């Protein structure tokens, strides 16, 4: 969230100092608003409801297609003596399995696929902006790829999925009675706070990921507007690549810890 505040303060100060700038006589504030806006690409008519399909949904579908296609391609001809692609896949699977085993315990196996899938998806989604060509000097990029996790609906969906797994796991491994008893631990008056935990945790997961990715996206837009050559690729290594990978690690690690607390 600090990045969002920094970006907004920076943008406001530039608007006050420079007035209007950029393409088509638009102020920098207008350009930033256009960049972070969630646009409806088309509307699917379901008969009883018109479902708007936004650009983040399209980006999500593309990432899903890449992951599904890559999984099919890399696992279609598995060999006893693996080549480099198969060895890479096996190394990743082994890493995720060991990570889940070390952090969750002896009930790790059902959760490793979820942890690995979330890690792969967020790694692609958070770092998607680095694939956009750098524009400048009055020229727009040939295409633009915006990180879908800048949309709070995407991050909320992942957070709700994680907390849903946590609640299901507590019912599964502790039973209904054990689940109810856990709400009164360590003492009975902790019940409201233990219930509040099921709201605070997904909210924290959602806003942390959303705030950091959106903040990095805004900062990169400001950098591209002010210094459109040489500097953006350097800043992109941190704000698009390193920060995106870091937020993936944080989300996956916290989700794993929450699951571990539910099953042990």
């Amino acid at each position: 969230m600090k990045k969002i505040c920094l970006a907004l303060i920076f943008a406001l100060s530039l608007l006050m100092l420079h007035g209007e700038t950029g393409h088509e006589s638009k102020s920098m504030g207008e350009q930033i608003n256009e960049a972070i806006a969630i646009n409806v690409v088309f509307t699917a008519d379901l008969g009883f409801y018109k479902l708007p399909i936004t650009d983040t949904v399209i980006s999500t579908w593309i990432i899903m297609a890449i992951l599904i296609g890559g999984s099919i391609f890399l696992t279609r001809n598995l060999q006893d003596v693996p080549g480099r692609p198969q060895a890479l896949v096996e190394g990743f699977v082994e890493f995720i399995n060991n990570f889940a085993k070390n952090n969750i315990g002896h009930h790790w196996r059902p959760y490793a696929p979820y942890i690995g899938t979330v890690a792969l998806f967020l790694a692609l989604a958070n770092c998607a902006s680095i694939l956009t060509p750098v524009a400048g000097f009055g020229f727009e990029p040939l295409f633009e790829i915006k990180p879908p996790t800048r949309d709070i609906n995407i991050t909320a969906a992942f957070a709700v999925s994680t907390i849903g797994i946590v609640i299901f796991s507590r019912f599964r491994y502790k039973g209904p009675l054990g689940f109810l008893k856990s709400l009164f631990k360590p003492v009975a008056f902790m019940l409201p706070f233990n219930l509040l935990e099921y709201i605070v945790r997904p909210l924290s997961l959602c806003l942390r990921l959303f705030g950091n990715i959106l903040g990095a996206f805004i900062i990169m837009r400001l950098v591209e507007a002010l210094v459109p050559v040489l500097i953006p690729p350097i800043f992109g290594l941190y704000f698009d690549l390193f920060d995106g990978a870091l937020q993936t690690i944080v989300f996956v690690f916290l989700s794993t810890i929450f699951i571990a607390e539910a099953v042990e």
Side-chain angles (χ1 to χ4, degrees):
M1 298 303 292
K2 291 181 180 179
K3 291 180 181 178
I4 295 181
C5 296
L6 177 62
L8 293 178
I9 293 173
F10 188 29
L12 181 59
S13 63
L14 289 172
L15 289 172
M16 294 174 63
L17 290 173
H18 299 287
E20 293 196 347
T21 182
H23 310 298
E24 300 178 2
S25 300
K26 292 182 180 179
S27 68
M28 185 175 293
E30 292 173 336
Q31 294 180 51
I32 295 297
N33 287 333
E34 289 183 0
I36 66 177
I38 308 300
N39 301 312
V40 176
V41 179
F42 64 92
T43 301
D45 190 356
L46 303 180
F48 59 91
Y49 179 72
K50 293 186 180 297
L51 180 66
I53 305 299
T54 64
D55 53 358
T56 55
V57 174
I58 300 296
S59 300
T60 300
W61 288 348
I62 293 174
I63 293 174
M64 291 168 56
I66 292 173
L67 292 177
I68 294 172
S71 300
I72 294 174
F73 175 77
L74 293 173
T75 60
R76 60 179 180 173
N77 293 314
L78 298 179
Q79 305 293 329
D80 294 333
V81 180
R84 289 184 179 180
Q86 183 177 335
L88 181 64
V89 172
E90 291 181 359
F92 174 77
V93 172
E94 183 177 2
F95 171 79
I96 293 296
N97 287 342
N98 290 334
F99 176 79
K101 187 184 302 183
N102 293 334
N103 289 279
I104 296 177
H106 56 284
H107 295 303
W108 65 273
R109 191 173 296 276
Y111 303 101
Y114 173 75
I115 294 171
T117 302
V118 170
L120 286 174
F121 183 93
L122 291 182
L124 289 178
N126 293 347
C127 303
S129 291
I130 203 169
L131 301 177
T132 300
V134 178
F137 302 105
F139 296 98
E140 296 293 333
L142 296 176
F143 58 89
E144 182 178 20
I145 302 177
K146 299 179 181 179
T149 42
R150 85 189 197 284
D151 186 347
I152 196 170
N153 295 291
I154 302 296
T155 61
F158 277 96
V160 170
S161 298
T162 293
I163 207 65
I165 291 176
V166 168
I167 295 173
F168 173 79
S169 299
R170 286 193 172 177
F171 268 101
R172 177 181 179 183
Y173 292 105
K174 296 184 178 181
L177 184 59
F179 176 79
L180 291 176
K181 286 182 178 180
S182 68
L183 296 177
F184 293 91
K185 292 182 177 180
V187 289
F189 72 82
M190 290 296 294
L191 174 63
F193 301 98
N194 289 332
L195 290 174
L196 188 63
E197 183 180 275
Y198 292 102
I199 299 176
V200 173
R201 282 187 170 182
L203 189 63
S204 173
L205 285 174
C206 169
L207 294 181
R208 179 184 289 107
L209 179 59
F210 165 72
N212 280 279
I213 298 304
L214 180 62
F217 182 75
I218 293 174
I219 290 174
M220 281 304 303
R221 281 307 184 119
L222 293 172
V223 171
E224 291 171 1
L226 292 174
V227 189
V229 65
L230 296 180
I231 299 300
I234 299 175
F235 276 67
L237 291 176
Y238 177 82
F239 290 109
D240 289 336
L241 187 60
F242 176 77
D243 185 65
L246 179 63
Q247 297 310 314
T248 299
I249 294 172
V250 170
F251 189 96
V252 170
F253 183 76
L254 290 178
S255 297
T256 305
I257 295 301
F258 295 159
I259 294 172
E261 292 178 355
V263 302
E264 292 297 332

